[in-house]
Amino acid sequence: MTITATIDEHEAVTLTYTRMNTTSNLGVPDAAAFADDLLSTFKPDQDDIYRDAYNVLVKPDGVKVEVHPHSFPIPWQHITSVVDQLRACGIS
């Protein structure tokens, strides 16, 4: 399984999940603080994060990113990789 994160010039993030022959995408608009939000989920007392454009819901196996009406799971072991990709693109 691979999760990649890219950003466009409007600070919108696209998450792409690839596993074998399956690919799924989720666009996350207004994601200027998205990397920080993901990284904060490693704090033991972190609650779900609700933003105007997206939500980051803490789950036992990772997080679920919601952009109504769609969602995208990010397992714990992939969060750091996604954060690193976003920071390389200039998202905090």
Side-chain angles (χ1 to χ4, degrees), residues 16-25:
T16 303
Y17 166 96
T18 305
R19 184 173 182 185
M20 295 185 174
N21 295 333
T22 303
T23 300
S24 100
N25 295 303

Side-chain angles (χ1 to χ4, degrees), residues 3-81:
I3 297 177
T4 57
T6 57
I7 182 161
D8 70 13
E9 67 275 5
H10 305 290
E11 294 186 337
V13 169
T14 299
L15 298 171
T16 303
Y17 166 96
T18 305
R19 184 173 182 185
M20 295 185 174
N21 295 333
T22 303
T23 300
S24 100
N25 295 303
L26 178 69
V28 182
D30 301 323
F34 189 59
D36 288 341
D37 287 343
L38 288 177
L39 198 56
S40 74
T41 62
F42 285 124
K43 297 176 187 172
D45 59 344
Q46 179 63 52
D47 289 327
D48 296 337
I49 299 165
Y50 297 96
R51 302 283 184 215
D52 289 340
Y54 63 89
N55 302 319
V56 178
L57 309 178
V58 180
K59 302 294 181 185
D61 56 346
V63 299
K64 180 167 73 168
V65 179
E66 288 185 334
V67 177
H68 188 70
H70 306 286
S71 65
F72 190 97
I74 304 176
W76 291 119
Q77 66 267 29
H78 292 279
I79 291 174
T80 303
S81 169

